[in-house]
Amino acid sequence: MSHFPEPNPDQLPHLPKTAITPSTHTVPPARFSHGVRKGNILQVAGQVGFGPAVEGRPPAPVGPTLREQTLQTLENVRAVLEAGGATWEDAVMIRAYLTDTGHFAEFNEVWNGYFADLVQPPAARTTVYVGLPQGLLVEIDALAVLG
């Protein structure tokens, strides 16, 4: 038996959901957003190492190396965080997806350099190994809580 009254759905506030697409990003190829904010929660969809959007050209990786792609991917996540009103300081969970277990040490080196100026680590992190489209080596998503 619960000691808490059941919430009345008619009395709960409706929080709008806002899609986030920074100007540096292309429109996704399917029906999803680069980020979604609802209330003080911002979910950044998986970002990859595509360079800034260029009108009339399909997105392409910034380079063939893990370092190049990781740095660009982190910048792409940062752009979505900022467009949604957040910073790395607001991130509470980050998931990193690598295509090769041999990339883990180099990925951590790039990661540590990128976040060297933060007093605390940017968030909890999970790293998994996946298949990504040809030429892509890393994907990163993030969850931020604002306020």
Side-chain angles (χ1 to χ4, degrees):
M1 179 175 204
S2 173
H3 297 284
F4 300 101
E6 289 295 317
N8 179 344
D10 295 330
Q11 294 176 340
L12 296 175
H14 175 72
L15 299 173
K17 186 166 61 171
T18 304
I20 309 292
T21 300
S23 61
T24 55
H25 288 51
T26 60
V27 174
R31 291 190 55 140
F32 66 89
S33 301
H34 287 289
V36 173
R37 181 167 175 181
K38 186 165 184 170
N40 67 339
I41 304 292
L42 173 62
Q43 176 65 57
V44 178
Q47 301 295 302
V48 295
F50 289 154
V54 176
E55 183 82 29
R57 292 180 51 199
V62 293
T65 69
L66 179 68
R67 177 175 193 74
E68 291 169 306
Q69 288 190 27
T70 299
L71 289 171
Q72 184 64 51
T73 300
L74 289 166
E75 285 299 303
N76 291 344
V77 172
R78 184 187 58 74
V80 179
L81 286 169
E82 288 180 357
T87 70
W88 284 114
E89 299 288 346
D90 298 309
V92 295
M93 181 63 197
I94 299 173
R95 285 174 294 269
Y97 308 90
L98 301 175
T99 59
D100 186 334
T101 58
H103 289 161
F104 189 72
E106 182 182 0
F107 178 76
N108 279 335
E109 181 183 310
V110 174
W111 178 276
N112 288 338
Y114 185 86
F115 291 113
D117 292 338
L118 289 184
V119 175
Q120 295 181 332
R125 187 185 98 189
T126 298
T127 304
V128 297
Y129 301 96
V130 299
L132 291 173
Q134 182 71 29
L136 293 173
L137 304 174
V138 60
E139 181 173 345
I140 298 172
D141 70 34
L143 177 67
V145 178
L146 291 78

Short mmCIF file of all heavy atoms in Angstrom, two decimals, residues 94-140:
data_model
loop_
_atom_site.label_atom_id
_atom_site.label_comp_id
_atom_site.label_asym_id
_atom_site.label_seq_id
_atom_site.Cartn_x
_atom_site.Cartn_y
_atom_site.Cartn_z
N ILE A 94 26.89 10.69 -20.32
CA ILE A 94 27.40 10.70 -21.69
C ILE A 94 27.65 9.26 -22.09
O ILE A 94 28.23 8.48 -21.32
CB ILE A 94 28.69 11.53 -21.81
CG1 ILE A 94 28.42 12.99 -21.43
CG2 ILE A 94 29.26 11.43 -23.23
CD1 ILE A 94 29.66 13.85 -21.34
N ARG A 95 27.20 8.91 -23.27
CA ARG A 95 27.48 7.57 -23.81
C ARG A 95 28.34 7.74 -25.05
O ARG A 95 28.04 8.55 -25.92
CB ARG A 95 26.17 6.85 -24.14
CG ARG A 95 25.46 6.35 -22.89
CD ARG A 95 24.09 5.77 -23.19
NE ARG A 95 23.18 6.80 -23.67
CZ ARG A 95 22.38 7.52 -22.88
NH1 ARG A 95 22.37 7.34 -21.60
NH2 ARG A 95 21.58 8.43 -23.39
N ALA A 96 29.43 6.99 -25.09
CA ALA A 96 30.34 7.01 -26.22
C ALA A 96 30.29 5.65 -26.90
O ALA A 96 30.32 4.61 -26.24
CB ALA A 96 31.75 7.31 -25.75
N TYR A 97 30.21 5.67 -28.22
CA TYR A 97 30.13 4.46 -29.02
C TYR A 97 31.35 4.43 -29.94
O TYR A 97 31.53 5.32 -30.76
CB TYR A 97 28.85 4.46 -29.85
CG TYR A 97 27.60 4.70 -29.02
CD1 TYR A 97 27.14 6.00 -28.81
CD2 TYR A 97 26.91 3.64 -28.45
CE1 TYR A 97 26.00 6.23 -28.03
CE2 TYR A 97 25.77 3.87 -27.68
CZ TYR A 97 25.33 5.16 -27.48
OH TYR A 97 24.21 5.38 -26.72
N LEU A 98 32.19 3.43 -29.78
CA LEU A 98 33.39 3.27 -30.60
C LEU A 98 33.23 2.04 -31.49
O LEU A 98 32.54 1.09 -31.12
CB LEU A 98 34.63 3.10 -29.71
CG LEU A 98 34.94 4.24 -28.74
CD1 LEU A 98 36.12 3.87 -27.85
CD2 LEU A 98 35.22 5.52 -29.50
N THR A 99 33.90 2.06 -32.64
CA THR A 99 33.79 0.93 -33.56
C THR A 99 34.90 -0.10 -33.37
O THR A 99 34.83 -1.17 -33.96
CB THR A 99 33.83 1.41 -35.02
OG1 THR A 99 35.07 2.10 -35.24
CG2 THR A 99 32.65 2.32 -35.34
N ASP A 100 35.90 0.22 -32.54
CA ASP A 100 37.05 -0.67 -32.40
C ASP A 100 37.54 -0.62 -30.96
O ASP A 100 37.84 0.46 -30.44
CB ASP A 100 38.15 -0.19 -33.36
CG ASP A 100 39.36 -1.10 -33.42
OD1 ASP A 100 39.65 -1.81 -32.44
OD2 ASP A 100 40.04 -1.07 -34.46
N THR A 101 37.66 -1.78 -30.31
CA THR A 101 38.14 -1.81 -28.93
C THR A 101 39.57 -1.27 -28.82
O THR A 101 39.96 -0.76 -27.78
CB THR A 101 38.10 -3.24 -28.35
OG1 THR A 101 38.88 -4.10 -29.17
CG2 THR A 101 36.67 -3.76 -28.28
N GLY A 102 40.32 -1.33 -29.89
CA GLY A 102 41.68 -0.80 -29.91
C GLY A 102 41.74 0.71 -29.84
O GLY A 102 42.83 1.28 -29.65
N HIS A 103 40.61 1.39 -29.98
CA HIS A 103 40.57 2.86 -29.94
C HIS A 103 40.37 3.42 -28.53
O HIS A 103 40.43 4.64 -28.34
CB HIS A 103 39.44 3.38 -30.82
CG HIS A 103 39.70 3.23 -32.28
ND1 HIS A 103 38.69 3.27 -33.21
CD2 HIS A 103 40.83 3.03 -32.98
CE1 HIS A 103 39.19 3.11 -34.42
NE2 HIS A 103 40.49 2.96 -34.29
N PHE A 104 40.13 2.55 -27.55
CA PHE A 104 39.74 3.02 -26.22
C PHE A 104 40.79 3.94 -25.59
O PHE A 104 40.45 5.03 -25.09
CB PHE A 104 39.44 1.83 -25.30
CG PHE A 104 38.83 2.21 -23.99
CD1 PHE A 104 37.52 2.66 -23.92
CD2 PHE A 104 39.56 2.13 -22.81
CE1 PHE A 104 36.94 3.03 -22.70
CE2 PHE A 104 38.99 2.49 -21.59
CZ PHE A 104 37.68 2.94 -21.54
N ALA A 105 42.05 3.55 -25.59
CA ALA A 105 43.10 4.36 -24.95
C ALA A 105 43.24 5.72 -25.64
O ALA A 105 43.33 6.76 -24.99
CB ALA A 105 44.42 3.61 -24.95
N GLU A 106 43.26 5.73 -26.98
CA GLU A 106 43.39 7.00 -27.71
C GLU A 106 42.16 7.87 -27.47
O GLU A 106 42.28 9.09 -27.30
CB GLU A 106 43.57 6.74 -29.21
CG GLU A 106 43.74 8.01 -30.01
CD GLU A 106 43.88 7.79 -31.51
OE1 GLU A 106 43.84 6.63 -31.97
OE2 GLU A 106 44.02 8.80 -32.22
N PHE A 107 40.99 7.27 -27.45
CA PHE A 107 39.76 8.02 -27.18
C PHE A 107 39.84 8.70 -25.81
O PHE A 107 39.53 9.88 -25.67
CB PHE A 107 38.54 7.09 -27.26
CG PHE A 107 37.24 7.78 -26.94
CD1 PHE A 107 36.63 8.61 -27.86
CD2 PHE A 107 36.63 7.60 -25.70
CE1 PHE A 107 35.43 9.26 -27.56
CE2 PHE A 107 35.44 8.24 -25.40
CZ PHE A 107 34.84 9.07 -26.33
N ASN A 108 40.29 7.96 -24.80
CA ASN A 108 40.42 8.55 -23.46
C ASN A 108 41.43 9.69 -23.43
O ASN A 108 41.23 10.69 -22.75
CB ASN A 108 40.82 7.48 -22.44
CG ASN A 108 39.63 6.67 -21.99
OD1 ASN A 108 38.49 7.11 -22.04
ND2 ASN A 108 39.90 5.45 -21.54
N GLU A 109 42.50 9.56 -24.19
CA GLU A 109 43.51 10.62 -24.26
C GLU A 109 42.91 11.90 -24.85
O GLU A 109 43.09 13.00 -24.32
CB GLU A 109 44.69 10.15 -25.11
CG GLU A 109 45.81 11.16 -25.24
CD GLU A 109 46.91 10.64 -26.15
OE1 GLU A 109 47.37 9.50 -25.96
OE2 GLU A 109 47.30 11.40 -27.07
N VAL A 110 42.18 11.75 -25.95
CA VAL A 110 41.53 12.91 -26.58
C VAL A 110 40.48 13.49 -25.63
O VAL A 110 40.39 14.71 -25.44
CB VAL A 110 40.90 12.52 -27.94
CG1 VAL A 110 40.10 13.67 -28.53
CG2 VAL A 110 41.97 12.05 -28.91
N TRP A 111 39.69 12.62 -25.02
CA TRP A 111 38.64 13.02 -24.07
C TRP A 111 39.24 13.84 -22.93
O TRP A 111 38.76 14.92 -22.60
CB TRP A 111 37.98 11.75 -23.53
CG TRP A 111 36.92 11.94 -22.50
CD1 TRP A 111 37.10 12.10 -21.15
CD2 TRP A 111 35.52 11.97 -22.71
NE1 TRP A 111 35.90 12.22 -20.51
CE2 TRP A 111 34.91 12.14 -21.44
CE3 TRP A 111 34.71 11.85 -23.83
CZ2 TRP A 111 33.53 12.20 -21.28
CZ3 TRP A 111 33.33 11.91 -23.67
CH2 TRP A 111 32.76 12.09 -22.42
N ASN A 112 40.29 13.31 -22.31
CA ASN A 112 40.91 14.00 -21.17
C ASN A 112 41.47 15.36 -21.58
O ASN A 112 41.35 16.32 -20.82
CB ASN A 112 42.01 13.13 -20.56
CG ASN A 112 41.44 11.94 -19.82
OD1 ASN A 112 40.29 11.93 -19.40
ND2 ASN A 112 42.25 10.91 -19.66
N GLY A 113 42.04 15.47 -22.76
CA GLY A 113 42.52 16.75 -23.24
C GLY A 113 41.40 17.74 -23.48
O GLY A 113 41.49 18.92 -23.13
N TYR A 114 40.31 17.27 -24.07
CA TYR A 114 39.17 18.13 -24.38
C TYR A 114 38.56 18.72 -23.11
O TYR A 114 38.17 19.89 -23.07
CB TYR A 114 38.11 17.34 -25.16
CG TYR A 114 36.95 18.17 -25.63
CD1 TYR A 114 37.01 18.86 -26.85
CD2 TYR A 114 35.78 18.27 -24.89
CE1 TYR A 114 35.94 19.63 -27.29
CE2 TYR A 114 34.70 19.04 -25.33
CZ TYR A 114 34.80 19.71 -26.53
OH TYR A 114 33.74 20.46 -26.97
N PHE A 115 38.49 17.90 -22.06
CA PHE A 115 37.84 18.33 -20.82
C PHE A 115 38.85 18.76 -19.74
O PHE A 115 38.49 18.88 -18.57
CB PHE A 115 36.94 17.21 -20.28
CG PHE A 115 35.73 16.97 -21.12
CD1 PHE A 115 35.58 15.78 -21.82
CD2 PHE A 115 34.74 17.93 -21.25
CE1 PHE A 115 34.48 15.55 -22.61
CE2 PHE A 115 33.62 17.71 -22.04
CZ PHE A 115 33.49 16.52 -22.72
N ALA A 116 40.08 19.04 -20.12
CA ALA A 116 41.12 19.37 -19.14
C ALA A 116 40.78 20.58 -18.28
O ALA A 116 41.20 20.66 -17.12
CB ALA A 116 42.45 19.60 -19.87
N ASP A 117 40.02 21.53 -18.80
CA ASP A 117 39.72 22.75 -18.05
C ASP A 117 38.53 22.63 -17.09
O ASP A 117 38.30 23.53 -16.29
CB ASP A 117 39.45 23.91 -19.01
CG ASP A 117 40.70 24.32 -19.77
OD1 ASP A 117 41.82 24.02 -19.29
OD2 ASP A 117 40.57 24.92 -20.85
N LEU A 118 37.79 21.53 -17.19
CA LEU A 118 36.65 21.36 -16.27
C LEU A 118 37.17 20.94 -14.90
O LEU A 118 38.07 20.11 -14.79
CB LEU A 118 35.68 20.30 -16.78
CG LEU A 118 34.84 20.64 -18.00
CD1 LEU A 118 33.86 19.52 -18.31
CD2 LEU A 118 34.08 21.94 -17.80
N VAL A 119 36.58 21.49 -13.84
CA VAL A 119 36.98 21.14 -12.48
C VAL A 119 36.60 19.70 -12.18
O VAL A 119 37.38 18.94 -11.60
CB VAL A 119 36.31 22.11 -11.46
CG1 VAL A 119 36.61 21.69 -10.04
CG2 VAL A 119 36.80 23.53 -11.72
N GLN A 120 35.39 19.31 -12.58
CA GLN A 120 34.91 17.95 -12.38
C GLN A 120 34.79 17.27 -13.74
O GLN A 120 34.65 17.95 -14.76
CB GLN A 120 33.52 17.94 -11.74
CG GLN A 120 33.48 18.49 -10.35
CD GLN A 120 32.07 18.42 -9.79
OE1 GLN A 120 31.09 18.44 -10.52
NE2 GLN A 120 31.96 18.33 -8.48
N PRO A 121 34.81 15.93 -13.77
CA PRO A 121 34.53 15.27 -15.05
C PRO A 121 33.17 15.74 -15.57
O PRO A 121 32.29 16.12 -14.78
CB PRO A 121 34.47 13.78 -14.67
CG PRO A 121 35.26 13.67 -13.41
CD PRO A 121 35.05 14.99 -12.69
N PRO A 122 32.97 15.75 -16.90
CA PRO A 122 31.74 16.32 -17.46
C PRO A 122 30.47 15.57 -17.06
O PRO A 122 29.42 16.16 -16.99
CB PRO A 122 31.96 16.24 -18.96
CG PRO A 122 32.97 15.16 -19.13
CD PRO A 122 33.85 15.23 -17.92
N ALA A 123 30.58 14.27 -16.81
CA ALA A 123 29.39 13.49 -16.47
C ALA A 123 29.80 12.05 -16.23
O ALA A 123 30.95 11.67 -16.45
CB ALA A 123 28.38 13.55 -17.63
N ALA A 124 28.84 11.25 -15.83
CA ALA A 124 29.05 9.81 -15.84
C ALA A 124 29.19 9.40 -17.31
O ALA A 124 28.58 10.02 -18.18
CB ALA A 124 27.87 9.10 -15.19
N ARG A 125 29.99 8.38 -17.59
CA ARG A 125 30.18 7.97 -18.99
C ARG A 125 30.13 6.47 -19.12
O ARG A 125 30.65 5.74 -18.30
CB ARG A 125 31.53 8.48 -19.50
CG ARG A 125 31.70 8.24 -21.01
CD ARG A 125 33.07 8.64 -21.50
NE ARG A 125 33.91 7.45 -21.59
CZ ARG A 125 35.21 7.48 -21.83
NH1 ARG A 125 35.85 8.63 -21.98
NH2 ARG A 125 35.90 6.37 -21.90
N THR A 126 29.49 6.04 -20.20
CA THR A 126 29.49 4.64 -20.59
C THR A 126 30.09 4.58 -21.98
O THR A 126 29.80 5.41 -22.83
CB THR A 126 28.04 4.09 -20.63
OG1 THR A 126 27.49 4.17 -19.32
CG2 THR A 126 28.00 2.67 -21.12
N THR A 127 30.95 3.58 -22.22
CA THR A 127 31.55 3.40 -23.54
C THR A 127 31.21 2.00 -24.02
O THR A 127 31.41 1.03 -23.29
CB THR A 127 33.08 3.57 -23.49
OG1 THR A 127 33.37 4.85 -22.93
CG2 THR A 127 33.69 3.47 -24.88
N VAL A 128 30.67 1.91 -25.22
CA VAL A 128 30.33 0.62 -25.81
C VAL A 128 30.89 0.55 -27.23
O VAL A 128 31.26 1.57 -27.81
CB VAL A 128 28.80 0.37 -25.83
CG1 VAL A 128 28.24 0.31 -24.43
CG2 VAL A 128 28.08 1.45 -26.61
N TYR A 129 30.93 -0.65 -27.76
CA TYR A 129 31.46 -0.87 -29.11
C TYR A 129 30.32 -1.28 -30.02
O TYR A 129 29.53 -2.16 -29.69
CB TYR A 129 32.57 -1.92 -29.06
CG TYR A 129 33.67 -1.45 -28.13
CD1 TYR A 129 33.70 -1.85 -26.80
CD2 TYR A 129 34.60 -0.52 -28.58
CE1 TYR A 129 34.67 -1.36 -25.95
CE2 TYR A 129 35.56 -0.03 -27.72
CZ TYR A 129 35.60 -0.45 -26.41
OH TYR A 129 36.55 0.04 -25.56
N VAL A 130 30.25 -0.60 -31.18
CA VAL A 130 29.12 -0.76 -32.10
C VAL A 130 29.61 -0.73 -33.54
O VAL A 130 30.76 -0.41 -33.81
CB VAL A 130 28.09 0.37 -31.91
CG1 VAL A 130 27.51 0.38 -30.51
CG2 VAL A 130 28.69 1.73 -32.23
N GLY A 131 28.70 -1.00 -34.45
CA GLY A 131 28.94 -0.77 -35.86
C GLY A 131 28.35 0.58 -36.23
O GLY A 131 27.25 0.91 -35.81
N LEU A 132 29.10 1.38 -36.97
CA LEU A 132 28.62 2.67 -37.46
C LEU A 132 28.76 2.68 -38.98
O LEU A 132 29.50 1.87 -39.54
CB LEU A 132 29.44 3.82 -36.85
CG LEU A 132 29.26 4.07 -35.36
CD1 LEU A 132 30.26 5.11 -34.85
CD2 LEU A 132 27.85 4.52 -35.05
N PRO A 133 28.09 3.61 -39.67
CA PRO A 133 28.23 3.70 -41.12
C PRO A 133 29.71 3.84 -41.54
O PRO A 133 30.53 4.36 -40.77
CB PRO A 133 27.42 4.94 -41.49
CG PRO A 133 26.40 5.05 -40.41
CD PRO A 133 27.10 4.58 -39.16
N GLN A 134 29.99 3.39 -42.72
CA GLN A 134 31.36 3.41 -43.27
C GLN A 134 32.05 4.75 -43.04
O GLN A 134 31.49 5.80 -43.30
CB GLN A 134 31.29 3.11 -44.78
CG GLN A 134 32.64 3.05 -45.47
CD GLN A 134 33.43 1.81 -45.06
OE1 GLN A 134 32.85 0.78 -44.74
NE2 GLN A 134 34.73 1.92 -45.08
N GLY A 135 33.27 4.70 -42.50
CA GLY A 135 34.07 5.89 -42.31
C GLY A 135 33.90 6.56 -40.96
O GLY A 135 34.71 7.41 -40.59
N LEU A 136 32.87 6.21 -40.21
CA LEU A 136 32.64 6.82 -38.90
C LEU A 136 33.22 5.93 -37.81
O LEU A 136 33.03 4.72 -37.81
CB LEU A 136 31.15 7.05 -38.66
CG LEU A 136 30.50 8.09 -39.56
CD1 LEU A 136 29.00 8.12 -39.36
CD2 LEU A 136 31.10 9.46 -39.33
N LEU A 137 33.94 6.54 -36.87
CA LEU A 137 34.64 5.79 -35.82
C LEU A 137 34.07 5.99 -34.42
O LEU A 137 34.33 5.19 -33.53
CB LEU A 137 36.12 6.19 -35.81
CG LEU A 137 36.87 6.03 -37.14
CD1 LEU A 137 38.27 6.61 -37.01
CD2 LEU A 137 36.90 4.57 -37.53
N VAL A 138 33.31 7.06 -34.23
CA VAL A 138 32.81 7.38 -32.89
C VAL A 138 31.46 8.09 -32.99
O VAL A 138 31.20 8.83 -33.94
CB VAL A 138 33.84 8.27 -32.12
CG1 VAL A 138 34.10 9.56 -32.85
CG2 VAL A 138 33.42 8.52 -30.68
N GLU A 139 30.62 7.83 -31.99
CA GLU A 139 29.34 8.53 -31.83
C GLU A 139 29.20 8.81 -30.34
O GLU A 139 29.61 7.99 -29.51
CB GLU A 139 28.19 7.66 -32.33
CG GLU A 139 26.84 8.32 -32.21
CD GLU A 139 25.71 7.52 -32.87
OE1 GLU A 139 25.99 6.61 -33.66
OE2 GLU A 139 24.55 7.81 -32.57
N ILE A 140 28.64 9.97 -30.00
CA ILE A 140 28.48 10.35 -28.60
C ILE A 140 27.11 10.98 -28.42
O ILE A 140 26.68 11.80 -29.22
CB ILE A 140 29.57 11.35 -28.16
CG1 ILE A 140 30.96 10.72 -28.29
CG2 ILE A 140 29.32 11.84 -26.73
CD1 ILE A 140 32.11 11.69 -28.06
#
